Amino acid sequence: MAMNIKRPNGTEDVLPKDVHKWLTVEKITRETAESFGFEEIRIPTFENTDLFMRSVGETTDVVQKEMYTVMAKETKFTLRPEGTAGTIRAMLQNGLLNEAMPQRVFYILSCFRHERPQAGRLREFHQFGLEMAGSASPCADAEVISLAKTILNRLGLKNIELYINSIGCPDCRKKYHEALRAYFENRKDELCETCMTRLEKNPMRILDCKSPICGEIAKDAPLIIDYLCDECSEHFEKLQKYLTKLGIEYKINPKIVRGLDYYTKTVFEFVTTEIGAQGTVCGGGRYDGLIEQLGGQHVPALGFAMGIERLLITMEKQGCDYLTPKKCDIYFATMGDDALEKAMMLAKELREFGYRAEYDVVGRGLKAQMKYANKIGAAFTMVLGDNELAEASAKLKDMESGKEVVLKLDEKFSGNFDSVYIDKMLDGLEEAAASMTEGHEHGHDCNCGCKEDCCNG
């Protein structure tokens, strides 16, 4: 009977043929964060539900509609819908905020939200994110935005626009909330049921509502940027100055409020128009009151998160490059049990050198084995049979060029294979260099952007 079990709606399988794409994003994000002084942190997949109620906010869509909350015996816990709350909890609980400031951490993790699945919006999704705690300076804001921009550049992404805004501090927002309530009061009967409750508790959340009707009503609502106090206004102006100094282009979008309650002052988004409605590939900002809200001392903090699925969709659309998938370095085709045992020993030696070595474990004939070697893209093959064992040597075949070289099957085998493999890599580099030189000789473009015959690249 056919198996009817399928993956849950809103989740995706990452198959071996696509893992190298994920590894590309993970490698670039991790190495870029480390170059800015950030260190990796790993946190639990689920937390006590109260953590997200207190940090993300009771009036947000995430808490009201999207969290996966489970009651296990007497314990209520929630699969993390985002990474910041759990990371700050871990920093507090483990004393990181008592160490040298600023504390800089990053993470790569899965998150869970019960949303209507669509391209770029899954119920289980993955994020690269980071948090910096201990600096109230707009210089830190510029540093974090610069890090995000550097990652996008290194991934090869184009046409990504940076939008920034300031949503002020609690003092700013008191006056702003009064203005919003006055604005929405006239049309409160048209708001969705959720936004009716938000009108009293937190009217800014109405601006983030996904309902088209609420969105249309909010279109002409007052803007927070017009209600900033002197301190918040100065902070925002300095951020713009620093971004300009760093050569980072930006646009002010006074309607960005972000979807979580813990944000203060700076909020920002990197947005593309190339993946449909879910165009935000990175979002973040400052949350100076969150640590205190979770029981710690007042410590200013900020960060961002990037949706890995959205990054990959955008990279596919734009034809970005990925790390080359690791393929088989050598495949041993064997005839007979003695040859198979020899292949097992040779493969073991080569694997200790770091090579990917394979041999037949199915019992195929020689022709089928060679066909399999072609299919998996083996760089080299070696046929082992009674004759090769008797002579203690065998032909190593370069599957790309067809060239063959005889190697002794002795204690020097791994070192000799290593030499042949390195020579192949060097030949490839020489061919690439020759191709570039030839291009210059004919006045073609080079990496430096010129078209001069005399350029050395």
Side-chain angles (χ1 to χ4, degrees):
M1 188 169 65
M3 187 178 77
N4 230 357
I5 302 173
K6 297 182 179 179
R7 66 173 182 263
N9 194 24
T11 64
E12 293 288 348
D13 300 311
V14 182
L15 302 181
K17 67 182 181 64
D18 294 320
V19 166
H20 70 286
K21 299 175 182 178
W22 286 73
L23 292 177
T24 300
V25 174
E26 291 167 11
K27 177 181 172 62
I28 289 174
T29 53
R30 178 177 278 110
E31 290 181 351
T32 304
E34 289 172 346
S35 74
F36 277 71
F38 286 75
E39 296 180 300
E40 186 170 5
I41 189 170
R42 301 190 181 189
I43 59 173
T45 304
F46 60 90
E47 300 272 359
N48 289 320
T49 302
D50 286 347
L51 173 67
F52 302 114
M53 299 287 284
R54 292 175 64 181
S55 61
V56 174
E58 294 183 40
T59 60
T60 63
D61 278 350
V62 173
V63 169
Q64 290 188 333
K65 303 176 182 180
E66 299 168 1
M67 293 201 310
Y68 284 97
T69 299
V70 177
M71 180 66 77
K73 295 186 178 180
E74 75 286 353
T75 305
K76 189 177 183 182
F77 62 85
T78 297
L79 295 178
R80 61 186 174 219
E82 52 90 52
T84 296
T87 301
I88 295 300
R89 191 270 312 147
M91 294 173 77
L92 267 169
Q93 185 172 348
N94 293 283
L96 296 186
L97 299 179
N98 298 324
E99 299 179 8
M101 293 293 184
Q103 282 291 305
R104 308 172 191 235
V105 297
F106 73 88
Y107 48 81
I108 300 173
L109 44 71
S110 54
C111 297
F112 306 85
R113 296 186 189 179
H114 192 277
E115 302 183 282
R116 184 171 64 85
Q118 53 187 295
R121 188 181 287 277
L122 297 171
R123 290 177 176 175
E124 181 189 23
F125 58 98
H126 299 79
Q127 288 185 342
F128 166 83
L130 55 81
E131 321 295 342
M132 180 193 291
S135 174
S137 169
C139 177
D141 303 32
E143 172 89 338
V144 164
I145 292 173
S146 175
L147 198 166
K149 176 66 172 173
T150 302
I151 289 173
L152 298 175
N153 289 345
R154 290 180 179 177
L155 290 173
L157 293 172
K158 304 286 193 299
N159 305 320
I160 307 288
E161 294 192 322
L162 168 62
Y163 295 99
I164 64 172
N165 189 25
S166 175
I167 58 172
C169 63
D171 291 337
C172 301
R173 287 207 290 270
K174 286 180 183 176
K175 295 180 180 178
Y176 182 54
H177 282 182
E178 291 173 6
L180 282 179
R181 288 191 186 99
Y183 173 82
F184 286 116
E185 188 69 31
N186 297 326
R187 301 183 66 179
K188 67 178 182 179
D189 294 338
E190 301 174 55
L191 297 174
C192 70
E193 186 177 344
T194 303
C195 285
M196 286 286 286
T197 62
R198 290 170 172 168
L199 185 57
E200 287 305 316
K201 291 185 177 181
N202 188 352
M204 278 182 68
R205 292 274 63 84
I206 301 175
L207 304 177
D208 200 50
C209 182
K210 297 180 178 67
S211 163
I213 296 174
C214 295
E216 181 63 27
I217 295 172
K219 189 171 62 175
D220 297 319
L223 303 175
I224 179 63
I225 203 166
D226 295 327
Y227 291 81
L228 297 180
C229 65
D230 290 344
E231 180 191 347
C232 291
S233 181
E234 182 183 358
H235 186 103
F236 193 47
E237 288 174 6
K238 283 190 174 181
L239 168 62
Q240 296 173 61
K241 174 186 172 183
Y242 295 145
L243 291 177
T244 301
K245 196 72 175 177
L246 290 168
I248 299 174
E249 296 182 3
Y250 64 88
K251 294 180 181 178
I252 297 175
N253 181 351
K255 295 190 176 181
I256 295 176
V257 295
R258 301 294 300 149
L260 309 176
D261 277 359
Y262 51 62
Y263 285 110
T264 57
K265 293 185 179 176
T266 302
V267 289
F268 64 90
E269 294 178 348
F270 285 90
V271 179
T272 176
T273 59
E274 298 187 15
I275 58 173
Q278 309 305 327
T280 302
V281 296
C282 173
R286 179 170 282 281
Y287 40 89
D288 289 344
L290 178 58
I291 293 173
E292 191 173 7
Q293 191 176 329
L294 294 180
Q297 300 296 317
H298 176 73
V299 179
L302 68 158
F304 68 74
M306 293 181 170
I308 295 180
E309 284 88 353
R310 293 188 189 182
L311 288 173
L312 289 168
I313 291 172
T314 310
M315 291 172 72
E316 287 286 338
K317 290 271 187 182
Q318 297 187 358
C320 297
D321 293 329
Y322 302 102
L323 295 173
T324 303
K326 181 66 175 172
K327 293 185 177 181
C328 178
D329 293 315
I330 180 170
Y331 182 83
F332 294 98
T334 61
M335 296 178 288
D337 287 344
D338 291 341
L340 175 60
E341 290 178 9
K342 186 65 176 178
M344 293 171 70
M345 298 307 297
L346 294 175
K348 180 176 182 292
E349 289 179 25
L350 289 175
R351 289 165 183 166
E352 290 173 356
F353 266 70
Y355 287 107
R356 180 169 171 172
E358 297 185 42
Y359 50 85
D360 181 52
V361 295
V362 177
R364 296 183 178 96
L366 181 60
K367 185 176 180 181
Q369 289 183 59
M370 296 305 294
K371 186 176 180 180
Y372 175 77
N374 271 319
K375 191 170 184 178
I376 64 174
F380 292 92
T381 58
M382 176 174 278
V383 176
L384 297 177
D386 291 342
N387 291 339
E388 286 76 18
L389 295 181
E391 295 174 7
S393 63
K395 291 180 180 178
L396 179 70
K397 182 177 181 180
D398 184 327
M399 295 295 283
E400 183 179 15
S401 67
K403 295 178 181 177
E404 293 182 333
V405 60
V406 176
L407 292 186
K408 288 286 187 181
L409 304 179
D410 57 15
E411 68 278 357
K412 296 182 180 179
F413 175 80
S414 295
N416 290 334
F417 175 80
D418 195 48
S419 297
V420 174
Y421 191 92
I422 291 172
D423 287 343
K424 176 180 172 67
M425 296 300 101
L426 292 175
D427 288 344
L429 290 173
E430 288 175 2
E431 288 176 10
S435 177
M436 290 176 62
T437 303
E438 182 180 350
H440 276 293
E441 289 173 353
H442 292 85
H444 296 163
D445 291 346
C446 70
N447 289 338
C448 67
C450 79
K451 295 184 180 180
E452 299 298 325
D453 293 348
C454 60
C455 177
N456 292 320

